Amino acid sequence: MKSLLTILLSVVMLMPAKAQPVSVSQGYHTTGRGCQQALLLRMDFKDDRAISRLTFRLKDDTRRNTASLQLFACNADEFYAEDVATTEDHGGNGRTCLGRAKSAQTVTFTLPPSATPCQGGRLWLTACVKAKARLGQSIDAALTRIDYADGTTVEVPDSMGNPAGEARIFDTHSLAFIPTTDGCRFYRIPAMVVDAEGHLLIAADRRYDSNADLGNHRIDVAIRRSTDNGHTWTAQQLIAQGDELSDARYGYGDPALAVTPTGRIICIMAAGRNNYFHGMRHMGITMSDDNGRTWLPVRELTAAAFRDDAHQLTDSLGFWSIFTTSGRGLTTADGTILFTTNTLSRAGSYTSDCYILSSRDNGSSWQLAPTPAFTGGDESKLVQLDNDSLLISVRRPGARGFNTADAQARQWGQQWTNADISNGNACNADILRYAPGLLLHTYLKHPTDRANLMLAMSTDNGRSWRDIMNIQPGQAAYSTMVRLPNGDVAILFEDASYHAGNGYALTYVTITKKQLQKAIKLNIPAF
């Protein structure tokens, strides 16, 4: 009997598992008030049976925060949260709205006959978010039932129809650079500033068909502008284009932005055909004096406009490899423009030191500080504190690094690390002096992965930090932020909460001043 049971169990184990009728993927983990097509679910159907109805369950706060749901058919890999009904998506793949339904605990869509059969078909569930949706709450849905035209039914278990994740609601939400759009599959490395008119300007790497860093292929730098606090963006504009030929101009990437006291916008970027660990010896610079509408031709930063008493005047400013940290530079109270740099002193070295690059004449000439701001660090960001001294925050594995200096960035103190801001997978982040006595910091809070984007605060000049808000629990990477003229905080970050092998979307969200006040629960002057 025992041997027979063993044989039967072996036969059962060898039998092929019943194929799942559908594969369900979660959409983006963020959305915004008034978003007309917040992506909830992607559904890939596995056979050619005609579907007559699909039933969904709305979860948690979804019903009260959404007005309706829409079901779309589209075989593209990406689906974008746009206010459209039946149109062509960015990638040129036609998509068709199959139906709309009011939000309820249970929502059923009856598919028209023209939508079937669905062999290899891909459907998308989106939601129309209310204009007054509750900030900080989330929307989500699960596929619970498939009714086929032949009269058969499949009850979909949560293990199949309810993938992990949900979409958190922000006051403003937009996808600023989107994979597979505008002739480019991969976008990376966000930078953002507020111009002299109070409008937004953002920049990013256009990496085309490869997501590798500069030095492996040509990369160009693109910008977009917004005059409505990030609700909409202008068409892409290329401000730095590589020639794929020369050592200095092969490609450009990792843009860093700053606004001078005159309103000039400066963009400094890595350049050339070598990556950082193979001798990145060039940096490009371009400027705009009309709030980003037009830009000067890119020139070599390390040419005649560079002066220094402490370092050799070579094409890498005396270092074997150097590049500016991407994101946002700092303009100090006296009008000095500061960028942080990563440097390697020799070939074969994998230990970076951070030096400060500065200009005191509106970007016409530049100087490299004689001493490092942080040794053994990586990409870093600067803020000026209430007493005009400088604080640097440095990417490193585990606990993030910090140091302070005088206002001229000439004399740095004893560097330290702070486990309040710690991540197992080191990543570029941002620090912002929001108000007197209040610093904000984005960072990834995860023991191993690039995921779980957080916002932290400090009221003691960066000596201690407290988490105040989760921006996105899903996969994410580089982030940058600014304070908007109305007191809101805008965050632009690399978002991989939904992807189909196309890398990151660069997602833009805002946190209102009221949300910050509630999260911080402190009476800070001038807040």
Side-chain angles (χ1 to χ4, degrees):
M1 177 66 73
K2 184 176 181 180
S3 60
L4 178 60
L5 180 60
T6 302
I7 293 172
L8 289 173
L9 288 174
S10 300
V11 171
V12 170
M13 292 177 66
L14 290 173
M15 291 176 62
K18 186 176 181 180
Q20 294 185 346
V22 63
S23 174
V24 183
S25 304
Q26 185 71 22
Y28 288 104
H29 291 182
T30 53
T31 187
R33 284 175 164 173
C35 180
Q36 297 300 295
Q37 288 181 18
L39 178 58
L40 298 179
L41 299 175
R42 164 182 151 177
M43 294 153 285
D44 292 275
F45 293 90
K46 304 300 184 180
D47 58 41
D48 58 359
R49 287 186 292 170
I51 298 171
S52 60
R53 284 185 301 277
L54 293 176
T55 303
F56 300 90
R57 181 182 75 251
L58 301 194
K59 298 169 58 181
D60 303 325
D61 301 311
T62 305
R63 181 179 178 182
R64 67 174 61 94
N65 287 307
T66 60
S68 62
L69 276 71
Q70 306 91 33
L71 187 67
F72 287 87
C74 179
N75 282 334
D77 289 333
E78 304 279 349
F79 192 97
Y80 314 118
E82 297 174 337
D83 186 9
V84 295
T86 302
T87 185
E88 295 290 312
D89 76 320
H90 277 103
N93 296 285
R95 61 182 181 183
T96 304
C97 183
L98 301 181
R100 293 180 176 82
K102 289 185 177 179
S103 294
Q105 185 173 355
T106 300
V107 176
T108 298
F109 289 91
T110 300
L111 276 65
S114 59
T116 58
C118 288
Q119 183 176 12
R122 182 170 294 161
L123 300 183
W124 310 76
L125 183 70
T126 69
C128 177
V129 183
K130 292 180 179 178
K132 295 184 178 180
R134 184 92 176 261
L135 296 180
Q137 292 191 349
S138 298
I139 61 173
D140 196 12
L143 175 65
T144 60
R145 178 178 169 129
I146 306 171
D147 290 299
Y148 293 96
D150 61 10
T152 59
T153 296
V154 172
E155 299 291 341
V156 182
D158 270 2
S159 59
M160 186 189 307
N162 184 20
E166 55 190 12
R168 181 159 296 151
I169 301 168
F170 289 87
D171 188 55
T172 305
H173 174 277
S174 60
L175 299 180
F177 287 95
I178 310 170
T180 73
T181 65
D182 296 288
C184 180
R185 180 179 176 187
F186 296 105
Y187 294 95
R188 278 215 65 193
I189 319 297
M192 177 169 59
V193 291
V194 176
D195 68 22
E197 296 175 332
H199 300 150
L200 285 163
L201 186 140
I202 60 176
D205 282 10
R206 277 178 60 93
R207 296 195 170 185
Y208 297 99
D209 292 328
S210 172
N211 211 11
D213 289 336
L214 188 69
N216 299 282
H217 63 110
R218 172 186 159 184
I219 297 173
D220 297 336
V221 173
I223 66 161
R224 301 184 77 177
R225 299 170 56 248
S226 176
T227 59
D228 56 7
N229 282 349
H231 287 280
T232 60
W233 301 92
T234 60
Q236 287 188 34
Q237 178 184 354
L238 295 185
I239 64 171
Q241 293 179 264
D243 61 15
E244 297 184 276
L245 298 171
S246 62
D247 285 342
R249 297 182 176 87
Y250 183 85
Y252 298 96
D254 279 51
L257 297 169
V259 181
T260 75
T262 67
R264 169 176 288 176
I265 302 174
I266 296 174
C267 181
I268 295 180
M269 65 211 86
R273 66 166 68 246
N274 294 330
N275 68 32
Y276 180 56
F277 293 107
H278 291 84
M280 182 177 283
R281 305 179 67 82
H282 303 281
M283 288 189 289
I285 182 170
T286 181
M287 304 178 186
S288 172
D289 288 313
D290 56 8
N291 296 304
R293 293 174 178 85
T294 62
W295 293 78
L296 295 175
V298 180
R299 62 176 173 83
E300 179 78 18
L301 174 65
T302 52
F306 182 81
R307 64 172 186 244
D308 199 278
D309 299 326
H311 303 281
Q312 301 173 37
L313 288 177
T314 69
D315 61 356
S316 58
L317 308 187
F319 292 100
W320 181 73
S321 193
I322 185 171
F323 76 99
T324 49
T325 295
S326 64
R328 180 173 46 84
L330 173 67
T331 302
T332 64
D334 68 359
T336 302
I337 300 96
L338 303 175
F339 291 95
T340 63
T341 67
N342 270 25
T343 67
L344 294 173
S345 59
R346 65 187 185 280
S349 172
Y350 290 90
T351 301
S352 296
D353 296 328
C354 303
Y355 282 81
I356 304 302
L357 185 67
S358 65
S359 175
R360 293 174 173 82
D361 55 9
N362 210 40
S364 295
S365 61
W366 295 85
Q367 189 171 30
L368 198 67
T371 57
F374 198 96
T375 59
D378 204 326
E379 294 166 310
S380 53
K381 299 292 178 65
L382 289 167
V383 290
Q384 189 167 32
L385 302 175
D386 297 347
N387 63 1
D388 288 340
S389 65
L390 301 177
L391 175 70
I392 189 170
S393 174
V394 183
R395 164 183 170 174
R396 58 187 305 280
R400 199 164 175 89
F402 294 89
N403 204 352
T404 56
D406 62 278
Q408 301 302 314
R410 306 289 293 186
Q411 297 295 323
W412 289 88
Q414 181 66 44
Q415 65 190 48
W416 76 92
T417 59
N418 192 323
D420 292 346
I421 297 184
S422 183
N423 179 249
N425 190 321
C427 194
N428 196 359
D430 205 0
I431 186 171
L432 174 70
R433 180 179 176 267
Y434 179 85
L438 176 60
L439 301 178
L440 300 178
H441 208 308
T442 56
Y443 78 105
L444 302 179
K445 187 176 185 176
H446 196 281
T448 58
D449 299 335
R450 286 187 168 181
N452 197 28
L453 181 63
M454 300 294 297
L455 182 67
M457 60 161 283
S458 174
T459 56
D460 57 6
N461 292 328
R463 291 290 172 176
S464 64
W465 296 88
R466 176 170 66 89
D467 293 339
I468 59 172
M469 190 175 297
N470 180 269
I471 307 302
Q472 182 193 242
Q475 292 182 332
Y478 284 28
S479 59
T480 187
M481 62 179 165
V482 296
R483 174 172 172 160
L484 297 175
N486 65 1
D488 294 352
V489 171
I491 300 175
L492 182 66
F493 67 97
E494 295 180 329
D495 179 359
S497 60
Y498 169 80
H499 67 89
N502 296 320
Y504 299 97
L506 298 194
T507 297
Y508 172 91
V509 298
T510 60
I511 301 168
T512 67
K513 180 178 178 180
K514 186 175 181 179
Q515 280 182 286
L516 280 175
Q517 290 172 323
K518 183 178 180 180
I520 293 168
K521 299 178 181 177
L522 290 174
N523 182 20
I524 298 176
F527 187 85

